[in-house]
Amino acid sequence: MKKKLVVLTGAGVSVESGVATFRDNNGLWEQYRVEDVASIEGWHRDPALVLDFYNQRRLQLATVKPNAAHFALAELEKDWDVTILTQNVDNLHERAGSTRIFHLHGLLTQVRPENCYNDVDNYSEESVFDIGYDVVNLGDLAPNGAQLRPHIVWFGEAVPYINAAIDHVMDADILLIVGTSLQVYPAAGLINYYQGNRLVLINRDETPYDHRADLVFHESLGDIFSQL
Ligand code: APR
């Protein structure tokens, strides 16, 4: 039986595909206010601005490709039972060939009616629609008559797959954490559920959890993969 490898990924994995991170220099949160484009209050204040922000992200996603890190993680499925827990809302892990992926913070290519909350206990996958790389405008309605909103987990909203993610981390032989600043909860807190002694962390910059790792690499993923 293959050993279980759980991988928690963040924006750093997609950097070398050309997708901006959130907290780095020139990251998205330097250019936009989180409370405007990633909170339910922002959505109620100015839904057109929020739709435009995610329309831009979605259109950009259509122009980028998975990079060596995404492909390497997909390749690991040959020898490992791999589960990807990603904070990323791009679809680059699936396009690289990974098959078991939990999008903890939603997915840019999906939308749902704004009156469907999808909290942890009432999660309903039937209410989520794939729209690919299309633009969503004010007035675009779901079959239930409600305005469509991005299927993105905003600050203050519940993370639908968190319980499944905890179960996977608890069962992991190896926990690999890649390209995340580990500053956003509950995703960062997943580390506390790992029970093994093979915690590997690869991130360009330091994280608050470096001391917990059995192996830490502060390098760019491109450098790591070119060395491998
Ligand atoms: N190789 C490795 N790591 C890199 C690279 C690279 N080429 N480029 C950047 N990084 C690292 C940075 O060191 C940084 O610590 O990626 C990390 C990205 O951190 P964040 O921008 O905070 O992204 P992430 O941790 O994914 O953010 C979590 O915050 O705003 C929310 O919902 C959003 O899912 C996101 C969550």
Side-chain angles (χ1 to χ4, degrees):
M1 209 172 72
K2 290 178 179 172
K3 291 215 170 187
K4 187 168 176 67
L5 170 64
V6 174
V7 190
L8 173 64
T9 69
V13 172
S14 297
V15 163
E16 289 166 40
S17 293
V19 180
T21 63
F22 296 93
R23 291 172 187 76
D24 291 323
N25 291 339
N26 292 320
L28 285 171
W29 297 155
E30 268 191 2
Q31 299 161 51
Y32 298 87
R33 282 158 36 108
V34 179
E35 53 274 37
D36 286 344
V37 297
S39 76
I40 193 69
E41 294 77 16
W43 170 254
H44 289 144
R45 223 171 15 242
D46 193 346
L49 175 84
V50 177
L51 288 173
D52 181 56
F53 175 78
Y54 291 99
N55 284 339
Q56 285 181 42
R57 309 268 84 71
R58 199 176 303 111
L59 289 172
Q60 193 221 3
L61 181 56
T63 69
V64 302
K65 295 194 176 85
N67 65 53
H70 299 104
F71 286 118
L73 293 173
E75 184 100 1
L76 285 171
E77 291 191 15
K78 284 187 186 151
D79 299 310
W80 297 84
D81 172 9
V82 180
T83 303
I84 309 264
L85 308 175
T86 187
Q87 300 166 86
N88 297 345
V89 295
D90 63 52
N91 58 3
L92 296 174
H93 283 304
E94 32 279 80
R95 281 162 60 190
S98 286
T99 57
R100 192 192 295 136
I101 307 162
F102 290 89
H103 279 277
L104 301 176
H105 295 166
L107 193 51
L108 275 174
T109 54
Q110 294 184 325
V111 290
R112 69 171 194 264
E114 66 169 336
N115 60 356
C116 162
Y117 292 105
N118 277 353
D119 63 24
V120 177
D121 297 321
N122 292 309
Y123 188 62
S124 143
E125 283 182 345
E126 299 91 71
S127 61
V128 176
F129 305 95
D130 286 312
I131 54 155
Y133 304 106
D134 287 351
V135 160
V136 188
N137 293 307
L138 267 189
D140 289 345
L141 306 181
N144 74 356
Q147 170 68 42
L148 288 172
R149 61 160 271 181
H151 183 51
I152 300 284
V153 178
W154 290 326
F155 284 95
E157 295 190 310
V159 172
Y161 289 120
I162 197 66
N163 291 329
I166 289 171
D167 289 345
H168 280 289
V169 170
M170 288 181 82
D171 282 350
D173 292 300
I174 296 188
L175 178 61
L176 173 61
I177 300 184
V178 199
T180 170
S181 64
L182 290 174
Q183 289 187 39
V184 172
Y185 290 80
L190 283 170
I191 211 167
N192 294 315
Y193 293 91
Y194 177 58
Q195 303 183 342
N197 57 3
R198 290 186 167 79
L199 171 47
V200 182
L201 208 158
I202 310 173
N203 198 53
R204 195 191 57 200
D205 298 305
E206 290 181 4
T207 81
Y209 286 101
D210 287 355
H211 65 286
R212 297 277 295 276
D214 299 293
L215 265 180
V216 184
F217 300 92
H218 285 145
E219 287 182 59
S220 286
L221 290 164
D223 293 341
I224 292 257
F225 287 110
S226 58
Q227 285 167 40
L228 290 176

